[in-house]
Amino acid sequence: MNLPNYFLADLPPEAALTPVLIRECCQTLKRNREQYLAAQSTSHLAGVLSEAAANWLNPDDPLRRLALESSPSQTGFSEPILRRGLDGFFRHFAPANLEQLIRQDLGHSQRLDQWSGGETEIEDRRSALGFGPEFLLHVTAGNLPVPALMSLTLGVLVRSAQFVKCARGGCFLPRLFAHSIYQVDPKLASCLEIAEWEGGRRTDLDEVLFEEADCVTATGRDSTLESIRSRLPRRTRFLGYGQKVSFGFIAKEALTRFHLQKLATGAAEDVTAWDQMGCLSPHLFYVEDGAAISALQFAEHLAEELARRETVEPRRPLEADQAAFIQIRRDFYEIRAADGDQTQIWSSPDSTAWTVVYEADPLFQISSLNRFIHVKATAGLDEALHHAESVRGRVSTVGLAASGPRIRDLARQLARWGAARICPIGQMQNPPLTWRHDGRPALGDLVRWVDWERD
Amino acid sequence: VADNQPAAFGQNKTAMNENLTLEQYAQDLGDAIRRESMGLRTEAVPSQNSRRESETGLPDPEFNELALCLFQLQLEANAAYAKFCRKRGGRLPEHWTEIPAVPALAFKEWDLTAIPPEERIAVFHSSGTTSHRPSRHYHHAASLALYEASLLPWFERHLEEAFTKPNLLFLTPPRDRAPHSSLVYMFDAIRRRSEMGPGRFLGEADPLTGEWRLDSSAVVEALEEATRLNQPVALLGTAFNLVHLLDGMAGQDKVLFLPAGSRVMETGGYKGRSRFMPKDELHKLVTERLGIPSGRIVCEYGMSELSSQAYDQAIGLGRGTQSAPARVFHFPPWARARLVAPGTNREVGEGETGLIRIYDLANAWSALAVQTEDLGIRRGAGFEWLGRAARAEPRGCSLQAAGGFLP
């Protein structure tokens, strides 16, 4: 399937991008927005997005098929991994869900359409209208495709002209997503632009975008975000989503013989989703002492589950340096394991496909990712959090398995400690649309408010 | 990982080896190397072009026999290595390529040695990682004798040249100031035993931190003196020693043209002690500031965990000054490098990238098979060195473990 040239990312790689071209492109996007997108209703936009998403879920859709067929070469992920990731993402796109997101973040589903207000506002004879940025720039990281698709979706809902600047090798799926919007509403797609260049290599192009945008979102390494922020004009709003880690906690009452398989399956689901490359992917699972099943046994089950997954959802092939990194860390734990029963390691034979390391020591351990997971025994959540102090403030998601009255207490303790999201194990890489990204309302943060107080 | 057949190792000593001890093995190997009967004489002159295994000086059956014999001795005498092999499980190796390679970092965790504590007279540490336990390679008199027997001929093969006797200028501290550096020990052995000219150590070590320093103006003085006398020099040091020297020279705005016959031996390693400079750039600067062409800059690859070294070329041979080909390292005939695909025991194909694994027959009292953390590209029986694998930098929003994050 050959895609028509609608976006900069459709141009052949040799096509030279220039600052003049980018400037013209920004102005066209703004003009198109003014003439079309700014006047569209929320229900129309939600309809376009959910229709595009429905196409993505249709096994015969040509764009979906193209994405899946070219996944290993274009995204690096094996086809089953991309399929699971995309299905999990687009499944949330029902119009009702999109409206619910607006209601949650903005207080009323018509906030972006007309003067409206919640109960207290109406009592006070107040109402408000929200506006998205005129020109929204997204600078996206290359590790996984979903955040860029989510950013585009939010930008459509707030009626912004949008430019997605992808990391090198990262434009494939954003580009296909933009084409899928084009198929449903070409005029809407004319307010979107997708392009790709290596970060830091084309500061001349960056400068143009930074001048034109009134709001910039960026995902990636903290150093990248800092560099972008420092180069933006003061008036430009900046929403940066930096480096995060996630982990799981399994309380003793949840780890019964009956639940063991379900938990191991869920944990494996979290580890294999996007090959563990996202910031919602777990680096380790804490297992509380005193359960019917020990942390060691859980680790062993998780290893079995990862071995099984590898046969149906293989991990992507790695560059030699990444694979070598896994091997070196395996060597380290193998040496530890030779010294006694405080450390144990299970790993895929004859490949680096998956690795499980059990340690009795509860100190938080950052993983080398690519399906390398730590399992640690702990006396309880207090102790686990004490040993996770090194990542405090940088934790996105905690997968929590607990039950009864205790789950509420554990969740509160995690929240106070600083976790931004708590969810069941097995759902870590599958947040709903209404997810508050790193603890912030992602849609709400895009909106500029106008309040109207009447006599 | 499974602990399958712990009994497989350490049994069935072959008749040939019946009464052999590590001492006898080391003695025999050292004698053979000194007699040049370890394939040195038949060793093809190294050039920039890769060689095939069959061209190296020691036929595979002979290397194999020695390696298996040494492995057997090490299993009996080196408890830590034996523990590692038992844990790894599997069959007793029938070919040297099946000998379990102990990760270099095991030298940090364990006393990986067959030398009893009371006999240890030297220990070599890996450099750089000051905050962690350093790796420890223990030596006694016999092991140091073998180390010297191993290091000298291969050094001479690459750095010596008929008719010129350069003064040896070592950019590291002397042995008494850096007693735990295997590199400095090697330089000292070269100073004592090489037939090249007299040698001097020009570096210093901070008495408190042990950090190496170089007074570049003193080095420049020595180099200027040599230039005046038209006395060729051999400058030997680590990459960071050279960076210090070149930075110092740039600061003084010095450019020298060292006498004909001069040469540089540079060994990898920055270890955070100076700014990092890509090799090509470093060599270009050596040429610009010291007048030594790339064909007379020899790179060495060595580790404190080993007893043999690899070199990338012999001076004056091969490399032109234009568009130098990749530098390919070769060990002496009594050591071999395999480039292994991570996660497997498979050697990568020609031109492919793998982890460098070294089988060193001169590592008698520690472990003959060492898995390094370095990546290289396989070039014939040699390798092109790429650097430490732990440098791999992730992209995106998830924190990923980087080098040095291990507990």
Side-chain angles (χ1 to χ4, degrees), chain A residues 406-440:
Chain A
R406 206 172 158 232
I407 191 167
R408 190 171 280 276
D409 295 338
L410 293 173
R412 188 201 305 272
Q413 194 179 347
L414 284 165
R416 288 217 169 117
W417 180 77
R421 170 174 167 250
I422 299 156
C423 72
I425 285 171
Q427 292 298 315
M428 294 180 70
Q429 265 294 355
N430 195 21
L433 280 181
T434 45
W435 172 48
R436 294 186 179 90
H437 193 168
D438 296 348
R440 295 293 312 168

Coordinates of all heavy atoms in Angstrom, one line a residue, chain A residues 406-440:
Chain A
R406 N -7.9 -3.8 53.1 CA -6.5 -3.3 53.1 C -6.1 -2.6 51.8 O -5.2 -1.7 51.8 CB -5.6 -4.5 53.3 CG -4.3 -4.2 53.9 CD -3.5 -5.4 54.3 NE -2.1 -5.1 54.4 CZ -1.1 -5.7 53.7 NH1 -1.4 -6.7 53.0 NH2 0.1 -5.3 53.9
I407 N -6.8 -2.9 50.7 CA -6.4 -2.3 49.4 C -6.5 -0.8 49.4 O -5.7 -0.1 48.9 CB -7.2 -3.0 48.3 CG1 -6.5 -2.6 46.9 CG2 -8.6 -2.6 48.3 CD1 -7.0 -3.3 45.8
R408 N -7.5 -0.3 50.1 CA -7.7 1.1 50.2 C -6.6 1.8 51.0 O -6.1 2.8 50.5 CB -9.1 1.4 50.9 CG -9.6 2.8 50.9 CD -11.0 2.8 51.4 NE -12.0 2.4 50.4 CZ -12.5 3.2 49.5 NH1 -12.1 4.5 49.5 NH2 -13.3 2.8 48.6
D409 N -6.2 1.2 52.1 CA -5.1 1.7 52.8 C -3.8 1.7 52.1 O -3.0 2.7 52.1 CB -4.9 0.9 54.1 CG -6.1 1.1 55.1 OD1 -6.8 2.1 54.9 OD2 -6.3 0.2 55.9
L410 N -3.5 0.6 51.4 CA -2.3 0.5 50.6 C -2.3 1.6 49.5 O -1.3 2.2 49.3 CB -2.1 -0.9 50.0 CG -1.9 -2.0 51.0 CD1 -2.0 -3.4 50.3 CD2 -0.6 -1.9 51.7
A411 N -3.4 1.7 48.8 CA -3.5 2.7 47.8 C -3.3 4.1 48.3 O -2.6 4.9 47.7 CB -4.9 2.6 47.1
R412 N -3.8 4.4 49.5 CA -3.6 5.7 50.1 C -2.2 5.9 50.4 O -1.6 7.0 50.2 CB -4.5 5.9 51.3 CG -4.5 7.3 51.9 CD -4.9 7.3 53.3 NE -6.2 6.7 53.5 CZ -7.4 7.3 53.4 NH1 -7.4 8.6 53.1 NH2 -8.5 6.7 53.6
Q413 N -1.6 4.9 51.0 CA -0.1 5.0 51.3 C 0.7 5.3 50.1 O 1.6 6.1 50.1 CB 0.3 3.7 52.0 CG 1.6 3.8 52.7 CD 2.0 2.5 53.4 OE1 1.2 1.6 53.6 NE2 3.3 2.4 53.8
L414 N 0.4 4.6 49.0 CA 1.1 4.8 47.7 C 0.9 6.2 47.2 O 1.8 6.8 46.7 CB 0.7 3.8 46.7 CG 1.2 2.3 46.8 CD1 0.5 1.3 46.0 CD2 2.7 2.3 46.5
A415 N -0.3 6.7 47.3 CA -0.7 8.0 46.8 C 0.1 9.1 47.6 O 0.7 10.0 47.0 CB -2.2 8.2 46.9
R416 N 0.1 8.9 48.9 CA 0.8 9.9 49.8 C 2.3 9.9 49.5 O 3.0 10.9 49.5 CB 0.6 9.5 51.3 CG -0.8 9.8 51.7 CD -0.7 10.3 53.2 NE -2.0 10.8 53.5 CZ -2.8 10.3 54.5 NH1 -2.4 9.3 55.2 NH2 -4.0 10.8 54.8
W417 N 2.8 8.7 49.2 CA 4.2 8.5 48.9 C 4.6 9.2 47.6 O 5.8 9.7 47.5 CB 4.6 7.0 48.9 CG 6.0 6.7 48.7 CD1 7.0 6.8 49.5 CD2 6.6 6.3 47.4 NE1 8.2 6.4 49.0 CE2 8.0 6.1 47.7 CE3 6.1 6.0 46.2 CZ2 8.9 5.7 46.7 CZ3 7.0 5.6 45.2 CH2 8.3 5.4 45.4
G418 N 3.7 9.2 46.7 CA 4.0 10.0 45.4 C 3.7 9.2 44.1 O 4.1 9.7 43.1
A419 N 3.1 8.0 44.2 CA 2.8 7.4 43.0 C 1.7 8.2 42.2 O 0.8 8.7 42.9 CB 2.3 5.9 43.2
A420 N 1.8 8.2 40.9 CA 0.8 9.0 40.2 C -0.4 8.2 39.7 O -1.4 8.8 39.4 CB 1.5 9.7 39.0
R421 N -0.3 6.9 39.7 CA -1.4 6.1 39.2 C -1.3 4.7 39.8 O -0.2 4.2 39.9 CB -1.3 6.0 37.7 CG -2.3 5.0 37.1 CD -2.3 5.0 35.5 NE -3.0 3.9 35.0 CZ -2.4 2.8 34.3 NH1 -1.1 2.9 34.1 NH2 -3.1 1.8 33.9
I422 N -2.4 4.2 40.3 CA -2.5 2.9 40.9 C -3.5 2.1 40.1 O -4.6 2.6 39.8 CB -2.9 3.0 42.4 CG1 -1.8 3.8 43.1 CG2 -3.0 1.6 43.0 CD1 -2.4 4.4 44.4
C423 N -3.1 0.9 39.7 CA -4.1 0.1 38.9 C -3.8 -1.4 39.1 O -2.8 -1.8 39.8 CB -3.8 0.4 37.4 SG -2.3 -0.3 36.8
P424 N -4.7 -2.2 38.6 CA -4.5 -3.7 38.8 C -3.3 -4.2 38.1 O -3.0 -3.6 37.0 CB -5.8 -4.3 38.3 CG -6.8 -3.2 38.2 CD -6.0 -2.0 38.0
I425 N -2.7 -5.2 38.5 CA -1.6 -5.8 37.8 C -2.2 -6.4 36.5 O -3.3 -7.0 36.6 CB -0.9 -6.9 38.7 CG1 0.0 -6.1 39.7 CG2 0.0 -7.8 37.8 CD1 0.6 -6.9 40.7
G426 N -1.5 -6.2 35.4 CA -2.1 -6.7 34.1 C -2.6 -5.5 33.3 O -2.9 -5.6 32.1
Q427 N -2.8 -4.4 34.0 CA -3.4 -3.2 33.3 C -2.4 -2.0 33.3 O -2.7 -0.9 32.9 CB -4.6 -2.7 34.1 CG -5.8 -3.7 34.0 CD -6.2 -3.8 32.5 OE1 -6.4 -2.9 31.8 NE2 -6.4 -5.1 32.1
M428 N -1.1 -2.3 33.6 CA -0.2 -1.2 33.8 C 0.0 -0.4 32.5 O 0.1 0.9 32.6 CB 1.1 -1.7 34.4 CG 0.9 -2.2 35.8 SD 2.5 -2.8 36.5 CE 3.4 -1.3 36.8
Q429 N 0.1 -1.1 31.4 CA 0.4 -0.4 30.2 C -1.0 -0.1 29.4 O -0.9 0.1 28.2 CB 1.3 -1.2 29.3 CG 2.8 -0.8 29.4 CD 3.1 0.6 28.9 OE1 2.2 1.3 28.3 NE2 4.3 1.0 29.0
N430 N -2.1 -0.1 30.1 CA -3.3 0.0 29.4 C -4.2 1.1 30.2 O -5.3 0.8 30.6 CB -4.0 -1.3 29.4 CG -5.2 -1.3 28.4 OD1 -5.2 -0.5 27.5 ND2 -6.1 -2.3 28.6
P431 N -3.8 2.3 30.3 CA -4.6 3.3 31.0 C -5.8 3.7 30.2 O -5.7 3.7 29.0 CB -3.6 4.5 31.2 CG -2.7 4.4 30.0 CD -2.5 2.9 29.7
P432 N -6.8 4.1 30.9 CA -8.0 4.6 30.2 C -7.7 6.0 29.6 O -6.7 6.6 29.9 CB -9.1 4.7 31.3 CG -8.3 4.9 32.5 CD -7.0 4.1 32.3
L433 N -8.6 6.5 28.7 CA -8.4 7.8 28.1 C -8.4 8.9 29.2 O -7.7 9.9 29.0 CB -9.6 8.1 27.2 CG -9.5 7.5 25.8 CD1 -10.8 8.0 25.0 CD2 -8.3 7.9 25.0
T434 N -9.1 8.6 30.2 CA -9.2 9.6 31.3 C -8.0 9.7 32.2 O -8.0 10.5 33.2 CB -10.5 9.4 32.1 OG1 -10.5 8.0 32.4 CG2 -11.8 9.7 31.4
W435 N -7.1 8.9 31.9 CA -5.8 8.8 32.7 C -5.2 10.2 32.9 O -5.1 10.9 31.9 CB -4.9 7.9 32.0 CG -3.5 7.9 32.6 CD1 -3.2 7.7 33.9 CD2 -2.3 8.0 31.9 NE1 -1.8 7.7 34.1 CE2 -1.2 7.9 32.8 CE3 -1.9 8.1 30.5 CZ2 0.1 7.9 32.5 CZ3 -0.6 8.2 30.2 CH2 0.4 8.1 31.1
R436 N -4.9 10.6 34.1 CA -4.2 11.8 34.3 C -2.7 11.6 34.2 O -2.1 11.0 35.1 CB -4.6 12.4 35.7 CG -6.1 12.8 35.7 CD -6.4 13.5 37.0 NE -7.8 13.9 37.1 CZ -8.8 13.2 37.6 NH1 -8.5 12.0 38.1 NH2 -10.0 13.6 37.6
H437 N -2.2 12.0 33.1 CA -0.8 11.7 32.7 C 0.2 12.3 33.7 O 0.3 13.5 33.9 CB -0.5 12.3 31.3 CG 0.7 11.7 30.7 ND1 1.0 12.0 29.4 CD2 1.7 11.0 31.2 CE1 2.2 11.4 29.1 NE2 2.6 10.8 30.2
D438 N 0.9 11.4 34.4 CA 1.9 11.8 35.4 C 1.2 12.7 36.5 O 1.9 13.6 37.0 CB 3.1 12.5 34.8 CG 3.9 11.5 33.9 OD1 3.6 10.3 33.9 OD2 4.8 12.0 33.1
G439 N 0.0 12.4 36.8 CA -0.7 13.2 37.8 C -1.3 14.5 37.4 O -1.7 15.3 38.2
R440 N -1.3 14.8 36.0 CA -1.9 16.0 35.6 C -3.0 15.7 34.6 O -2.9 14.7 33.8 CB -0.8 16.8 34.8 CG 0.3 17.3 35.7 CD -0.1 18.4 36.7 NE -1.0 19.4 36.1 CZ -1.7 20.3 36.8 NH1 -1.7 20.3 38.1 NH2 -2.4 21.2 36.1

